[in-house]
Amino acid sequence: MELSLQTGTVADRTILRVTGEIDVYTAPKLRQRLVQLVEDGARHLVVDLSGVEFLDSTGLGVLVGGLKRMRALSGSFALVCDQERILKIFRITGLDRIFTIVPTEQAALAVEPDPGGSEDRPDGGHAVPPVTDR
Amino acid sequence: MPTVRLEFSPAPAHVRTARLVAVAVARRAGVAEEVLDEVRLAVGEACSRAVALHQLYQLSELVEVEMADGARFTVRVSDRGPAETRPETGSVPDPVELVADSDTSFPAPSVAVGMGLALLTGLVDDLQVVPRRDGAGTSVRMSWPTA
């Protein structure tokens, strides 16, 4: 199955939903989209891999590139994945130690605090940790 | 003698075809369903590695994939890369170190090859990277039990 990419925004997070196979052939398309999102100003990225059927080392390399780029920009980069066969690939390579991997998009929104501040966000939600001054 | 033999020009687009064929032949050979994901990923990694080597050295020769069934399902992926690129099985790179060492935002092809090899090594119990029997190049040989 071809790679399909869909972008959405929740508050200050940019969510990239990936569907299909990420391999040596399709990974450049993912890399291109990540670069574009960063150029467009995204600083808090959530890459949702829930619809990914296949991921290889080339795909891992692109995700690592995204993580490094966001770190360099003091942003955040989280992965959403609850499929054992994909999670296994992160474990085998030890990359589960450097990525934030959560099972749902909601969890991703909850674990990644917004370091940029968000005074105008409604205060009641407990899903997002309180933002400290910065 | 191989049960199925496949050759493809060293282009990324053909790696998926090789994966699909390998899984189909493995299933028919009696490899357990729960192992097929491993076969798919391992054959894909071995073929990606061969394609990367051919592109790196601008080689237009075909990448060869041989699959044989028997007591074990065996896959051999052969490239024509120069011998000095042969990875030593004892020195598999740590992907986390590769990530830390690369200074570009998106890792270079050499990092991808290293990561692929680390993944292969972690994935397949029976894995050998050996010189080709018929001239320059290396073969990645892997096998899985059949029912």
Side-chain angles (χ1 to χ4, degrees):
Chain A
M1 184 181 171
E2 272 291 322
L3 185 72
S4 152
L5 303 170
Q6 212 188 7
T7 313
T9 309
V10 177
D12 61 341
R13 317 295 173 82
T14 303
I15 299 177
L16 178 61
R17 295 189 184 98
V18 189
T19 312
E21 300 187 342
I22 311 176
D23 74 350
V24 64
Y25 179 57
T26 61
K29 185 177 168 185
L30 176 62
R31 172 170 38 213
Q32 201 176 13
R33 179 65 68 92
L34 286 171
V35 168
Q36 188 63 51
L37 288 173
V38 173
E39 279 176 7
D40 290 348
R43 291 297 176 267
H44 300 285
L45 262 175
V46 175
V47 179
D48 189 343
L49 303 175
S50 302
V52 169
E53 292 158 14
F54 182 83
L55 174 69
D56 76 356
S57 61
T58 327
L60 285 177
V62 170
L63 294 174
V64 164
L67 173 71
K68 291 188 69 160
R69 187 160 290 199
M70 294 319 285
R71 279 186 180 171
L73 294 165
S74 304
S76 65
F77 189 92
L79 297 175
V80 176
C81 180
D82 65 348
Q83 297 185 71
E84 178 49 33
R85 64 175 172 177
I86 303 289
L87 290 171
K88 186 181 170 187
I89 296 163
F90 286 94
R91 278 202 305 273
I92 289 171
T93 51
L95 293 174
D96 58 337
R97 301 198 301 270
I98 67 163
F99 279 109
T100 301
I101 306 177
V102 292
T104 62
E105 280 184 18
Q106 257 128 9
L109 298 176
V111 294
E112 289 288 338
D114 168 18
S118 58
E119 270 112 308
D120 52 357
R121 177 182 291 167
D123 205 43
H126 56 266
V128 179
V131 177
T132 51
D133 60 325
R134 163 120 182 217
Chain B
M1 278 294 286
T3 311
V4 173
R5 191 158 183 272
L6 175 75
E7 294 184 325
F8 62 90
S9 55
H14 301 315
V15 171
R16 179 169 187 264
T17 305
R19 287 200 304 268
L20 293 174
V21 172
V23 168
V25 178
R27 181 178 278 127
R28 200 195 155 277
V31 174
E33 277 297 315
E34 60 270 24
V35 185
L36 293 178
D37 269 341
E38 188 179 305
V39 174
R40 187 191 331 267
L41 185 57
V43 172
E45 290 297 338
C47 290
S48 298
R49 172 185 171 277
V51 169
L53 286 173
H54 281 222
Q55 290 190 335
L56 191 61
Y57 292 96
Q58 298 176 324
L59 304 167
S60 58
E61 285 93 338
L62 303 177
V63 173
E64 294 165 34
V65 186
E66 293 164 278
M67 291 161 262
D69 57 14
R72 293 179 71 85
F73 172 65
T74 306
V75 181
R76 183 189 290 270
V77 178
S78 303
D79 62 71
R80 290 284 178 191
E84 63 267 25
T85 64
R86 188 186 316 148
E88 303 297 331
T89 40
S91 63
V92 174
D94 178 350
V96 176
E97 278 174 28
L98 283 174
V99 170
D101 291 348
S102 67
D103 53 3
T104 54
S105 288
F106 285 101
S110 60
V111 175
V113 169
M115 207 175 287
L117 193 63
L119 189 52
L120 264 180
T121 310
L123 200 62
V124 186
D125 294 333
D126 179 25
L127 172 78
Q128 291 169 290
V129 183
V130 295
R132 273 183 88 116
R133 291 171 293 194
D134 57 344
T138 53
S139 292
V140 175
R141 186 195 162 281
M142 307 168 276
S143 82
W144 291 270
T146 51

